[in-house]
């Protein structure tokens, strides 16, 4: 990085918002995925829209790639600066600009932390449902760019269902405004839609308008123990088929239950082959009715139901689920969290396929996930330095994806493509789609400076 350029950046952003030492840059050479590390040439933290535009213009003039980064929690290598360049971190653009109680929307800067927004809107009796497991650190910008899901996807949908408007800069420094504050808006292309799942490759969002909904009046949770994971999966399919929509319907297999219990000591049933964590929410009368119906379905499928009687028990359940990934991560040096998603009726088949896969390749896989969405997270615990095991792991991953596609599913329900799933893209979407996406990217960013080489483009 040219000294004059660094000086210009330091003058504009302040020295503390420009990182150039190798040690500092190393912290931005990776994200939450297990893949390769690559050092960026510089890391910057703009604090507002004008500084952001200044950085973009400077990088554009000098043809330096920009890799936009929120909290770096993505699980697909999406913020690894594969060809060096400038990592632009949005975490200092973190103001909640408006919460509109009458019209049910919020306007936030892209670096606002998801949970911060979710907690704030509850003070107004409103609700922002998308709740990725990482919500206490992930940013709204990162959620939009990855179309993050979460535990409430079954009833409330995912991030894309809440994005009403975006403001962004393209790599030429043009300000682009898409969508707005009205429920209906059809002027021009659906630019918010374009930014959803764009993985930092089309533009850099600085402001986002999000739909809010009324906060559910009440909720009720239960933990259901199973001596067979297949019974748990059948329960999920039957609940969905019965047309009840729990707000959350999560699955943990025996390996994951034990990993969480060992770390958290909250009294999870360590002998259970699997457990389901279920919450229904809404009007008290409806909640009561649906809860009874769900309980019956669980019991019919040989589940042992334990109702969370108070807030502490309820919080324990959901803490257990949210900590699944970090508890598994403690067990081995390398954790590979996969994201294969299938139509919900295929969950029992997918679960069986994952189990067979683990024994075929003699590897450790703990599985948990958003069973109600068909979105399972087979989590492979390994050590990348063990070359022989890692070769088997790679084959196992290929087969898990093959199976997901065979069952009519997808490579990724919520974690995005980034670097790690790039090689599988064409298999799922076909050549024509790749050409279409390349044309789109090339038209908007002809020099390929925005998060280059992701999604295999
Ligand atoms: C413990 C844990 C649990 C998780 N649980 C879930 C889960 O339940 N559901 C789920 O969907 N994901 C989950 N994730 C994955 C991850 O948290 C999400 O993908 C999240 O949306 C990433 O947000 P971030 O701010 O960390 O973005 P980053 O990782 O920093 O960036 C992600 C992508 O967004 C782009 N980007 C970031 N900000 C902007 C912006 N302002 N403008 C344009 N592009 C931008 C980046 O270039 C990159 O391509 C989990 C991750 C962890 C570590």
């Amino acid at each position: 990085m040219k000294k004059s350029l660094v000086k210009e950046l330091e003058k504009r952003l302040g020295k503390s918002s420009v990182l150039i030492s190798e040690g500092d840059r190393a912290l931005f050479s990776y994200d939450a995925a297990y893949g390769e590390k690559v050092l960026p040439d510089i890391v910057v933290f703009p604090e507002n829209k004008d500084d952001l535009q200044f950085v973009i213009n400077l990088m554009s003039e000098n043809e330096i790639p920009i890799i936009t980064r929120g909290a770096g929690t993505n699980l697909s290598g999406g913020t690894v600066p594969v060809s060096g360049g400038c990592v632009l971190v949005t975490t200092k653009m973190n103001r909640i600009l408006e919460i509109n109680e009458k019209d049910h929307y919020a306007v936030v800067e892209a670096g606002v932390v998801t949970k911060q927004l979710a907690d704030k809107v509850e003070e107004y009796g409103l609700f922002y449902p998308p709740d990725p497991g990482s919500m206490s650190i992930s940013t709204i910008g990162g959620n939009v760019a990855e179309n993050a899901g979460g535990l409430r996807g079954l009833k409330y949908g995912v991030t894309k269902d809440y994005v009403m408007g975006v403001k962004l800069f393209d790599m030429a420094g043009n300000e682009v405004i898409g969508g707005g504050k009205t429920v209906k808006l059809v002027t021009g292309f659906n630019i918010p839609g374009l930014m959803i799942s764009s993985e930092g490759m089309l533009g850099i969002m600085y402001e986002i308008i999000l739909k809010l909904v009324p906060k559910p009046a009440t909720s009720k949770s239960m933990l259901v123990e199973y001596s067979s994971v297949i019974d748990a999966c059948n329960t999920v399919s039957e609940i969905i088929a019965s047309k009840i929509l729990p707000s959350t319907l999560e699955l943990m297999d025996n390996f994951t239950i034990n990993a969480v219990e060992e770390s958290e000591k909250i009294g999870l049933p360590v002998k259970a082959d699997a457990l389901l964590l279920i919450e229904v929410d809404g009007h008290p009368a409806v909640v009561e009715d649906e809860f009874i119906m769900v309980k019956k379905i669980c019991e019919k499928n040989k589940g042992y139901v334990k109702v969370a009687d108070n807030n502490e028990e309820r919080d324990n359940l959901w803490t257990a689920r949210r900590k699944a990934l970090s508890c598994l991560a403690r067990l081995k040096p390398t954790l590979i969290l996969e994201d294969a998603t299938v139509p919900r009726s295929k969950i029992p088949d997918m679960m069986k396929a994952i189990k067979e896969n683990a024994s075929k390749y003699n590897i450790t896989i703990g599985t948990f996930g958003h069973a109600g969405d068909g979105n399972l997270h087979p989590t492979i615990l390994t050590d990348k330095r063990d070359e022989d095991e890692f070769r088997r792991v790679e084959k196992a991953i290929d087969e898990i994806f093959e199976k997901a596609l065979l069952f009519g599913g997808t490579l990724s329900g919520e974690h995005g493509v980034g670097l790690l799933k790039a090689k599988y893209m064409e298999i799922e979407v076909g050549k024509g789609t790749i050409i279409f996406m390349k044309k789109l990217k090339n038209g908007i960013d002809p020099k390929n400076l925005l998060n280059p080489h992701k999604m295999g483009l």
Side-chain angles (χ1 to χ4, degrees):
M1 184 69 55
K2 279 193 287 188
K3 271 195 181 146
S4 57
L5 215 137
V6 174
K7 278 231 155 72
E8 248 186 281
L9 284 165
E10 286 178 343
K11 193 168 157 218
R12 174 78 190 222
L13 307 181
K15 275 198 165 185
S16 61
S17 291
V18 180
L19 306 181
I20 45 169
S21 79
E22 192 172 329
D24 284 341
R25 286 182 292 129
L27 297 173
F28 296 86
S29 63
Y30 61 96
D31 47 36
Y34 71 93
E36 59 180 317
K37 295 182 182 180
V38 184
L39 266 188
D41 297 305
I42 192 162
V43 182
V44 298
F45 295 74
E47 280 186 35
N48 54 53
K49 171 191 161 187
D50 294 339
D51 286 353
L52 173 64
Q53 195 175 27
F54 175 84
V55 175
I56 295 171
N57 285 335
L58 199 62
M59 296 303 153
S60 182
E61 276 158 30
N62 290 277
E63 298 193 5
I64 296 169
I66 295 184
I67 298 86
T68 312
R69 179 178 169 119
T73 65
N74 77 86
L75 293 158
S76 54
T79 49
V80 177
V82 267
S83 39
C86 170
V87 168
L88 184 152
V89 189
T90 61
T91 50
K92 287 191 179 175
M93 297 194 290
N94 58 4
R95 285 160 287 247
I96 296 176
L97 302 172
E98 182 185 356
I99 293 174
N100 195 306
E101 217 175 334
K102 283 188 185 158
D103 287 329
H104 295 189
Y105 65 79
V107 185
V108 300
E109 290 186 330
V112 163
V113 169
T114 317
K115 187 167 189 310
Q116 221 177 316
L117 174 71
D119 288 348
K120 191 75 195 163
V121 302
E122 290 207 5
E123 292 172 18
Y124 296 77
L126 292 168
F127 189 39
Y128 178 66
D131 60 340
S134 53
M135 70 187 292
S136 52
I137 40 172
S138 71
T139 65
I140 296 291
N143 293 170
V144 176
E146 295 285 359
N147 190 15
L151 278 63
R152 301 190 188 112
L154 172 60
K155 179 169 179 179
Y156 291 101
V158 296
T159 304
K160 77 171 177 346
D161 301 305
Y162 295 86
V163 183
M164 296 170 71
V166 289
K167 291 186 181 172
L168 60 119
F169 290 109
D170 68 11
M171 194 59 201
N174 295 312
E175 188 173 7
V176 181
I177 298 175
K181 295 175 178 174
T182 54
V183 174
K184 292 179 168 179
L185 192 157
V186 291
T187 34
F189 290 149
N190 180 0
I191 291 170
L194 194 61
M195 294 311 290
I196 289 158
S197 303
S198 60
E199 299 194 14
M201 297 170 70
L202 299 179
I204 302 176
M205 292 173 277
Y206 63 88
E207 211 174 285
I208 297 159
I209 305 172
L210 295 164
K211 179 173 95 174
L212 305 173
V213 296
K215 190 177 165 209
T218 190
S219 63
K220 220 168 160 182
S221 302
M222 65 174 96
L223 176 150
V224 195
E225 262 179 77
Y226 290 88
S227 54
S228 151
V229 69
I230 300 302
D231 288 338
C233 295
N234 287 333
T235 305
V236 173
S237 303
E238 203 172 316
I239 291 173
I240 307 291
S242 76
K243 303 189 176 58
I244 298 171
L245 276 186
S247 51
T248 315
L249 181 38
E250 296 285 309
L251 173 94
M252 282 163 79
D253 73 356
N254 174 270
F255 191 84
T256 312
I257 297 168
N258 278 278
V260 174
E261 184 56 24
E262 202 177 299
S263 155
E264 300 300 308
K265 312 263 181 292
I266 51 175
L268 291 179
V270 290
K271 290 198 176 134
D273 194 35
L275 58 82
L276 290 178
L277 298 170
I278 308 176
E279 183 165 283
V280 287
D281 72 359
H283 186 279
V286 176
V287 167
E288 216 36 64
D289 255 17
E290 291 191 344
F291 199 77
I292 291 169
M293 282 154 72
V294 169
K295 189 164 173 272
K296 273 191 188 149
I297 296 173
C298 295
E299 286 168 347
K300 187 179 145 215
N301 284 284
K302 302 183 211 140
Y304 171 71
V305 176
K306 191 170 177 305
V307 178
D309 283 325
N310 52 49
N311 281 347
E312 194 190 340
E313 281 185 19
R314 176 183 176 274
D315 289 349
N316 271 347
L317 290 191
W318 297 112
T319 304
R321 166 58 188 89
R322 286 187 190 284
K323 291 209 165 164
L325 179 57
S326 48
C327 295
L328 286 167
R330 295 166 66 241
L331 304 179
K332 282 263 194 154
T334 311
L335 173 141
I336 303 174
L337 177 66
E338 283 310 340
D339 188 22
T341 304
V342 292
R344 293 166 298 195
S345 59
K346 297 288 180 201
I347 292 173
D349 300 315
M350 193 63 208
M351 205 63 201
K352 203 161 151 253
I354 293 168
K355 273 196 151 190
E356 284 167 5
N357 185 281
S359 38
K360 177 175 171 189
Y361 289 105
N362 189 23
I363 55 173
T364 309
I365 307 185
T367 301
F368 63 97
H370 318 300
D373 306 338
N375 184 195
L376 295 173
H377 292 320
T379 305
I380 301 171
L381 301 175
T382 181
D383 183 346
K384 224 180 154 188
R385 293 164 300 186
D386 179 343
E387 287 178 16
D388 174 53
E389 181 171 278
F390 207 71
R391 263 193 295 278
R392 280 182 278 125
V393 165
E394 286 180 323
K395 281 190 189 152
I397 294 174
D398 287 352
E399 277 187 27
I400 288 174
F401 287 149
E402 272 167 31
K403 278 280 186 274
L405 294 179
L406 188 75
F407 294 142
T410 173
L411 303 173
S412 176
E414 55 180 20
H415 294 165
V417 179
L419 285 179
L420 297 184
K421 291 195 184 123
K423 70 172 176 168
Y424 304 104
M425 269 289 276
E426 197 173 316
I427 304 171
E428 180 171 336
V429 302
K431 215 180 187 124
T433 311
I434 300 284
I435 294 171
F436 184 79
M437 286 170 62
K438 275 189 176 157
K439 281 187 186 162
L440 194 63
K441 166 83 170 147
N442 193 36
I444 294 174
D445 175 24
K447 292 188 178 149
N448 197 16
L449 294 175
L450 271 179
N451 208 6
H453 310 303
K454 302 292 158 60
M455 293 194 203
L457 301 184

